Amino acid sequence: MKIQRVTLDGSVTGVRFEESRCGKWLVKNFGDEDIFVSFDESVDESESVKIASGCGQVIVENERLGFLSPFEHDTIYILGTGEVEVQQLWFH
C-alpha cells in the first residue's frame, strides 16, 4: 500500500504516485469542510465525488487487471481545504 498525506489550501491539488499507476484509491477527509475528488483537473463540483468532513471514500477508475485494461489516469484531483490522506488500494 502506498500513502500520501496532503494539506489542501482551497485550490485544486493533484495527487500522483510516481512509481506506479493505480485503478483504485481511498481518500480520507480530515478537514473541517467537504472536499471534491475528480479525474479531471478542473474539478467541477457538480460532476465530482463529494466527501464529507471526517469521512473517507473509495474512488474507482477501473477494477480490472492493469494488463487487460490499462488505467487512463495516474492522478486524482482534490478541491477543498484541510488535511487529506490518499491511499493506493491497487497498483502495478
Side-chain angles (χ1 to χ4, degrees):
M1 175 185 335
K2 297 181 181 192
I3 299 172
Q4 287 190 37
R5 289 180 186 87
V6 180
T7 300
L8 305 174
D9 63 5
S11 60
V12 174
T13 301
V15 178
R16 180 172 187 252
F17 292 84
E18 295 290 332
E19 304 83 31
S20 59
R21 296 179 73 95
C22 176
K24 187 191 273 188
W25 297 264
L26 172 60
V27 180
K28 299 176 186 177
N29 179 6
F30 297 113
D32 294 330
E33 304 291 331
D34 297 342
I35 62 171
F36 297 87
V37 181
S38 177
F39 292 116
D40 188 289
E41 192 171 358
S42 67
V43 189
D44 179 347
E45 291 181 18
S46 66
E47 297 180 0
S48 300
V49 176
K50 180 179 177 179
I51 303 175
S53 172
C55 295
Q57 183 164 335
V58 174
I59 310 297
V60 178
E61 175 190 6
N62 188 341
E63 289 194 284
R64 296 181 184 177
L65 296 175
F67 62 86
L68 293 176
S69 179
F71 303 126
E72 188 175 327
H73 303 94
D74 63 359
T75 305
I76 59 172
Y77 299 94
I78 307 172
L79 175 63
T81 58
E83 185 181 3
V84 297
E85 180 179 283
V86 180
Q87 297 177 15
Q88 281 187 314
L89 298 179
W90 189 87
F91 55 89
H92 71 281

